[in-house]
Amino acid sequence: MSAIDAITQDLLRKVSDWAGSFTGAYNLRVDGGCAGRQSTRNIRIEGKKDKPGLDIHIRPGTRGETVSIPACVTHGSINDLVYNDFYVGEGADVTIVAGCGVHTDGEDAARHNGIHRFFLEKNAHVTYLEKHVGTGSGAGLRSIDPVTQVVLGEGAVLEMDTSQIGGVDRSSRTTSGVVGKGARLLIRERLLTEGDQEARTDFQVTLDGEDAGVDLISRSVARGRSKQHYRSRIIGNTRCTGHSECDAIIADQGMVSAAPELTANSDDAALIHEAAIGKIAGEQLLKLRTLGLTEEEAEARIVAGFLK
């Protein structure tokens, strides 16, 4: 792995819990290029031949391993685009860490666009962790626009834990999935916007196999004059279960819109959605202030607990 500068190190610590090195398989992407790569006996990482990105092959039966694929943009005038495909063999059980950070200290924009596709074979299980952050003192736009496509084979499980933890001016998160027999897709999204930031989330999941299931949970906080738009659509084509939940807190002049949608094409499809948008409860602030916290400290404590 080549030398890592201070900005990259800071971004890595924020998005991937990097502590100076990677264990197991990894690919580090910095400013649109590979800054380090390592495969293992069970996880093979290869660069694509026809476009920027990776093919990650995980052998059947692989268990307990982690593959890290963080991407960092360290200055403006970068518009990074990457295509990563994950092929997870039957019965494998692994963790994928895929954080992204964008940084600019000038007037030029720093952008990252990641297109990830997951193909899980029978009874495979993946825990996918993804953090996004923007840093830097410049006025240039910081944007991250991830696209995720999921195909789950029989009995497969994909658990996605995604978060936008601050500093991203514009984001558009698009996730689609096709869930097979007895498979499950579990997504937890956490999102913080401040100032004039704007974020869009769009989920669409099709439950095609009997006893397939999906659980979409979004927690978000919109502060300042920021805007958030949430849309989810679950389509049940057979006996299946689907749940979509969007909870949002508005502070200052923030705005949140939520549009959950359900389509049942079978009378055995059990689908439900929930949406709640509101401000921080006054009694919560009062209780914390009686413990000696300022109003700003109390609000920060409540927001942190909500997004945890």
Side-chain angles (χ1 to χ4, degrees), residues 8-240:
T8 303
Q9 291 184 43
D10 180 62
L11 292 174
L12 286 174
R13 282 190 288 267
K14 287 180 167 66
V15 302
S16 66
D17 298 325
W18 185 75
S21 63
F22 296 101
T23 58
Y26 76 87
N27 185 90
L28 172 59
R29 185 177 181 85
V30 178
D31 296 331
C34 178
R37 180 181 299 166
Q38 175 176 283
S39 295
T40 65
R41 179 176 178 273
N42 294 317
I43 301 176
R44 187 174 78 255
I45 303 177
E46 299 175 334
K48 287 185 176 296
K49 301 295 192 294
D50 58 340
K51 62 185 72 172
L54 305 169
D55 290 324
I56 298 102
H57 296 268
I58 299 172
R59 292 179 59 179
T62 301
R63 291 183 171 272
E65 294 196 35
T66 297
V67 53
S68 301
I69 56 162
C72 301
V73 173
T74 66
H75 57 84
S77 299
I78 297 288
N79 188 3
D80 187 26
L81 172 63
V82 64
Y83 299 82
N84 294 328
D85 290 342
F86 301 85
Y87 301 92
V88 185
E90 181 175 342
D93 189 347
V94 298
T95 299
I96 298 171
V97 181
C100 174
V102 291
H103 176 99
T104 180
D105 285 321
E107 300 293 321
D108 296 320
R111 296 185 171 96
H112 176 77
N113 308 282
I115 300 173
H116 291 177
R117 299 192 301 170
F118 295 84
F119 303 93
L120 273 63
E121 295 184 12
K122 184 177 181 180
N123 295 328
H125 178 262
V126 170
T127 301
Y128 177 76
L129 308 175
E130 181 182 78
K131 293 180 181 179
H132 290 165
V133 68
T135 63
S137 59
L141 188 75
R142 300 162 186 83
S143 69
I144 302 177
D145 298 317
V147 175
T148 305
Q149 300 170 356
V150 176
V151 179
L152 300 183
E154 180 179 349
V157 177
L158 175 58
E159 300 181 60
M160 301 180 64
D161 190 326
T162 69
S163 58
Q164 183 172 303
I165 55 179
V168 180
D169 299 311
R170 297 289 183 273
S171 66
S172 177
R173 310 166 68 89
T174 303
T175 303
S176 62
V178 178
V179 184
K181 180 179 179 181
R184 295 193 63 80
L185 176 59
L186 311 172
I187 299 177
R188 175 164 181 168
E189 173 192 70
R190 287 167 289 180
L191 180 63
L192 171 65
T193 55
E194 302 173 293
D196 293 307
Q197 296 168 358
E198 185 169 350
R200 294 181 178 274
T201 295
D202 193 333
F203 291 121
Q204 179 164 315
V205 179
T206 302
L207 301 169
D208 265 351
E210 286 193 352
D211 299 317
V214 63
D215 193 15
L216 309 177
I217 298 178
S218 176
R219 298 279 187 274
S220 70
V221 176
R223 307 172 75 171
R225 297 169 301 280
S226 65
K227 298 178 181 179
Q228 298 181 13
H229 307 271
Y230 173 89
R231 177 183 178 270
S232 68
R233 185 183 184 195
I234 299 175
I235 303 167
N237 290 330
T238 184
R239 185 179 68 210
C240 59

Side-chain angles (χ1 to χ4, degrees), residues 241-254:
T241 58
H243 171 241
S244 172
E245 179 181 335
C246 172
D247 289 337
I249 289 177
I250 296 175
D252 309 314
Q253 289 81 49

